[in-house]
């Protein structure tokens, strides 16, 4: 890297359904300045483009004269890898919005748009827990379950920009209904919303068994969340234990499918649900060892992410700096 | 391509548990000569290397003076992408055999070794149903269920050479036992052996419902195979219908997981089970449309393979000609 390139900065934007986070990032993935705003999807996509311009200006003002060579944006939606248009972003209520084009007009800088979880995966690969590994998979279990894949030294974006949707792999043909409309997805077991829902159903089915969970939620079954399950688990509550075991086994079965399908050397397992229920990591690991093919599982390492909630913005900033376009090898 | 390169030929070897097939292949993927031998795993790996040398000499003799620039070998096992050593090939009873090294010594030519299903996938990509598509997945359902993945213009081999094992993705947490030891794999529903096993179990559970199947098998329940199920289906037998529906839905759920995980533009669906039960294709397609995320499924095409049983040898021959090593992008 030339000295001037090393000096240059990029801006990373993490655009989610509830907030827009901006970060001024250096070549080492370090955040030099940050800013955020609530997302206002009801104002339409142009208002979000304007908000991103405001946030970019705000962090740019802290560049201390260093050049800013581009803006990367990670968005919670499916992004066309060829154009940076957003096919679909349900949380933002967008369909087929030429996002990258609008951003370039507003920002007067090179812009790259990619999916937010792919962006976080890219960050963990280049600057986090996956440094130097050519084949890895990230799984982030939070309210939803998302993921990203690096295969043979390339971030896999997919034909329609939606590669890595590991939360919507089916692990139980007739399993619980998922938010996506499918049944038995990993997310329908391991998403924060699904843990809460299954806990509430279990309490209704057997109030005696659910007594500890209900008490921790102040007697209000609607307030039984994944966090309440974590608290009950700390008190060795048998129902919480069984819910966490089922959650880990479903997440582990999904992870085993990924391990068999992609054969990564590294699985990076994180997200709010995993932070809150660290017991899941052991169950997932044990389930992978039991379910995945030995050849794939033997050489697999499982680690936690290193960049936390800033991964999306760091990844987007890093993507616009060094993210290479796919290089298809298509002989004539 | 230079004229001399276009003139040059390569040899492809498809090494399975029962036979070794060799083909002399030109730059267009056409087979100019072929030869085969039964596999004799009991003689040990050196005898197989010697048999491959004999077969190579046999097809080489038909080159009519054109240069033969390499030998590609697709083997039913996990191959180290870095060295061409075979980590594990259960059908051959091999563990950690430096296959490529032994072959180069015996053949005095450049040799490339890869997994046989990855090899067939490579053939369909370069010369078959996947020409010109940068992101595709192959699923071959035969006795077992295997697969292969091309992502962003690269054949995905995996850290331990086992990428694409889509037959061993879990679709039913507590489902039937698979040959791999896991429960509820796609193969435990859609492999030829699994269809036969489930049909036999259904006949035992309800002999009246199983009457047509049993009659077609000459009254011997052990002779109820996937082919018998196909014959009963042609007579509109309700039990055969229900087995095929269940098979297609499990295969479709696995395919939907792959579609969500990799987001390919094309799914190539083939193998003996699909040839014998073409009704599966429609069920798989319908199941994918129902289960996969719309963004991923909308843009997906589903087609049949074009190269048939020669795909493995053609792919191996093509791999040694143009297969590029992974080009990891790992910034320092």
């Amino acid at each position: 890297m030339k000295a001037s390139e090393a000096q240059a900065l990029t801006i990373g934007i993490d655009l989610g359904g509830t907030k827009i986070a901006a970060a001024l990032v250096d070549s080492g993935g370090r955040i030099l300045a940050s800013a955020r705003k609530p997302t206002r999807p009801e104002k339409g996509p142009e208002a979000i483009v304007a908000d991103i311009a405001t946030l970019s200006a705000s962090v740019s003002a802290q560049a201390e004269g260093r050049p800013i060579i581009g803006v990367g944006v990670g968005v919670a939606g499916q992004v066309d890898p060829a154009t940076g248009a957003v096919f679909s972003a349900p949380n933002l209520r967008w369909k087929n919005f030429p996002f990258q084009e609008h951003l370039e007009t507003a920002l007067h800088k090179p812009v790259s748009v990619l999916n937010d979880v792919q962006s976080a995966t890219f960050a963990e690969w280049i600057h986090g827990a996956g440094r130097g590994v050519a084949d890895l998979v990230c799984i982030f279990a939070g309210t939803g379950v998302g993921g990203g894949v690096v295969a043979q030294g390339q971030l896999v974006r997919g034909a329609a920009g939606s590669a890595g949707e590991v939360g919507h792999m089916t692990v139980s043909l007739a399993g619980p209904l998922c938010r996506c409309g499918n049944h038995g997805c990993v997310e329908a077991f391991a998403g924060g919303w699904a843990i809460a829902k299954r806990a509430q159903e279990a309490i209704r089915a057997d109030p005696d068994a659910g007594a500890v969970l209900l008490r921790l939620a102040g007697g209000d079954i609607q307030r039984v969340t994944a966090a309440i399950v974590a608290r009950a688990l700390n008190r060795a509550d048998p129902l919480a234990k069984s819910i966490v075991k089922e959650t880990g086994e479903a997440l582990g079965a999904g992870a085993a499918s990924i391990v068999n399908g992609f054969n990564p050397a590294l699985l990076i397992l994180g997200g709010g649900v995993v932070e809150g229920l660290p017991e899941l990591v052991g169950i997932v690991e044990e389930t992978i060892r039991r379910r995945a093919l030995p050849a794939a599982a033997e050489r697999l390492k499982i680690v936690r992410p290193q960049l936390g909630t800033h991964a999306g913005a760091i990844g987007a900033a890093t993507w616009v700096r060094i993210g290479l376009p796919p290089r298809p090898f298509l002989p004539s």
Side-chain angles (χ1 to χ4, degrees), chain A residues 206-242:
Chain A
D206 186 346
D208 287 345
V212 171
L213 281 167
L214 197 57
R215 198 176 62 236
L216 289 170
D220 179 358
I221 197 163
Q222 298 297 332
R223 291 175 52 204
V224 173
T225 59
I228 296 287
V229 173
R231 286 176 56 196
L233 185 70
N234 286 338
R235 299 178 189 204
D237 176 51
L239 180 56
K241 260 191 196 172
S242 119

